[in-house]
Amino acid sequence: MALVSGKQILDEAKKGKYGVGAYNVNNMEQIQAIMSAAKETKSPVIIQASRGALKYSNFTYLGYLMKAAVIENPDIPTAMHLDHGNSLESAIKAIELGFSSVMIDGSLLEDGKTPSTYDYNVKVTKSVVEYAHKAGVSVEAEIGTLGGIEDGVGSGKIHLTDPKEAKKFVDETGIDSLAIAIGTSHGAYKFKGASKLAFDVLTEIRNLIDIPIVLHGASSVPKELIEAVNKYGGKMPGASGVPIESLQEAIKLGVQKINVDTDGRLAITAAIRKVFAESPEKFDPRDYLGPARESLKELIKSKMIAFSTAGHSGDYAPISLETMKKEYK
Ligand code: G3H
Ligand code: 13P
Ligand code: ZN
């Protein structure tokens, strides 16, 4: 069984100068698609569940499905990550479910909408670091705020990360990876015109801090998927994302973790809509969830290749969480 901490995957990625996608999951088909993609491309992988996803599944269901992914794929170094935890309690709940990595998003208050103060962020982040590290679990935190209101994980206003504040935050909290705001946002409508990321800010942060850097809101919102969704009855005019080339540039400049949820949702929606439009007589869930799973697998494989994660699953011996507990002491 190759459950590893988020820190181990991201430290290896930093050393090897490649990116690792962190893919959001809500159900069995998504988890299977991501794990098959990792297996076929020999990639380490981070599967992540948001607070909303855990709540939707009554916590244990999704937790056990994610554990099944780890057990079924002993050759794939896999981190189970909590996405956008908003309190020490949410982190504890995930750690009790067996997660090996947690995010505490103290850039916003517990409502997931209101930007917090720096002092609040430091306080809540430190409380999670103290608890998680004792369990060998690594911690991601965020400084700066992303745009995009998506079910309580965005303020709607972008405040780019201040590099000096980022350095201070890392030093004061002892986190393992830092999510930064350089112009991305959650969801399928990221840019009104051309996409624009603040690579100068990223470079400055990379020069000041030594831990892995995380990019949220990193879906590319591929034109083909939007066209397929719209062709089969959807309505998503004006959707846009971060081009793959920009993500590759970000990886070159020092980003290790790339968060992707929206693109997976689009791949699934397009595939299901296609089945419904072309075969209206079908009503067995396997007839549309199966193609959705296949389409998601191909999408994730292409990301694993584009982020250069492919081929790195065997680079390192997985370290157990027990060993991590000792390392954090
Ligand atoms: O960053 C947010 C993810 O896309 C999770 O979204 O809270 O709707 O599950 P969710
Ligand atoms: P996207 O909405 O761009 O997929 O971002 C997902 C994310 O950041 C999850 O934390
Ligand atoms: Zn996010």
Side-chain angles (χ1 to χ4, degrees), residues 137-268:
V137 169
S138 32
V139 180
E140 169 188 330
E142 179 167 321
I143 191 105
T145 49
L146 269 67
I149 299 172
E150 275 267 303
D151 297 330
V153 286
S155 66
K157 289 208 180 77
I158 296 180
H159 296 285
L160 297 190
T161 302
D162 171 348
K164 290 197 184 73
E165 196 173 65
K167 157 87 176 130
K168 191 165 173 262
F169 184 73
V170 169
D171 290 345
E172 283 179 13
T173 55
I175 52 171
D176 302 291
S177 60
L178 179 71
I180 60 169
I182 55 165
T184 61
S185 58
H186 291 115
Y189 303 90
K190 298 191 194 297
F191 303 101
K192 292 237 161 62
S195 79
K196 199 170 175 300
L197 297 188
F199 287 127
D200 52 336
V201 174
L202 166 57
T203 302
E204 231 185 295
I205 297 171
R206 183 71 289 166
N207 288 336
L208 287 173
I209 70 169
D210 206 28
I211 60 172
I213 293 177
V214 182
L215 208 53
H216 282 248
S219 275
S220 296
V221 189
K223 215 168 100 243
E224 320 77 75
L225 288 181
I226 294 298
E227 280 170 3
V229 167
N230 290 339
K231 177 175 171 190
Y232 296 112
K235 217 183 221 177
M236 299 190 68
S240 79
V242 186
I244 283 287
E245 298 71 31
S246 300
L247 297 171
Q248 289 170 329
E249 179 66 14
I251 292 168
K252 221 185 278 168
L253 295 174
V255 164
Q256 279 74 40
K257 178 171 179 272
I258 299 152
N259 277 20
V260 175
D261 187 356
T262 296
D263 284 356
R265 296 177 180 191
L266 290 172
I268 290 169

Side-chain angles (χ1 to χ4, degrees), residues 38-234:
K39 197 174 181 150
E40 288 179 27
T41 59
K42 298 189 168 45
S43 301
V45 70
I46 300 169
I47 44 176
Q48 61 184 11
S50 68
R51 295 194 316 278
L54 286 169
K55 193 166 166 220
Y56 175 77
S57 82
N58 201 20
F59 293 89
T60 43
Y61 282 85
L62 191 51
Y64 284 127
L65 281 172
M66 290 165 81
K67 273 188 189 162
V70 173
I71 293 164
E72 292 280 318
N73 294 280
D75 299 338
I76 304 296
T78 305
M80 287 168 60
H81 177 74
L82 168 69
D83 190 28
H84 292 284
N86 64 342
S87 60
L88 175 60
E89 291 67 39
S90 61
I92 292 175
K93 222 164 178 174
I95 292 167
E96 283 172 352
L97 278 175
F99 281 47
S100 59
S101 178
V102 291
M103 177 191 189
I104 171 67
D105 184 359
S107 70
L108 303 170
L109 296 179
E110 274 193 37
D111 65 4
K113 284 192 184 84
T114 316
S116 69
T117 62
Y118 175 84
D119 289 343
Y120 170 88
N121 198 349
V122 169
K123 192 166 172 234
V124 70
T125 300
K126 273 172 91 168
S127 71
V128 172
V129 168
E130 196 184 322
Y131 184 93
H133 281 185
K134 279 191 195 126
V137 169
S138 32
V139 180
E140 169 188 330
E142 179 167 321
I143 191 105
T145 49
L146 269 67
I149 299 172
E150 275 267 303
D151 297 330
V153 286
S155 66
K157 289 208 180 77
I158 296 180
H159 296 285
L160 297 190
T161 302
D162 171 348
K164 290 197 184 73
E165 196 173 65
K167 157 87 176 130
K168 191 165 173 262
F169 184 73
V170 169
D171 290 345
E172 283 179 13
T173 55
I175 52 171
D176 302 291
S177 60
L178 179 71
I180 60 169
I182 55 165
T184 61
S185 58
H186 291 115
Y189 303 90
K190 298 191 194 297
F191 303 101
K192 292 237 161 62
S195 79
K196 199 170 175 300
L197 297 188
F199 287 127
D200 52 336
V201 174
L202 166 57
T203 302
E204 231 185 295
I205 297 171
R206 183 71 289 166
N207 288 336
L208 287 173
I209 70 169
D210 206 28
I211 60 172
I213 293 177
V214 182
L215 208 53
H216 282 248
S219 275
S220 296
V221 189
K223 215 168 100 243
E224 320 77 75
L225 288 181
I226 294 298
E227 280 170 3
V229 167
N230 290 339
K231 177 175 171 190
Y232 296 112

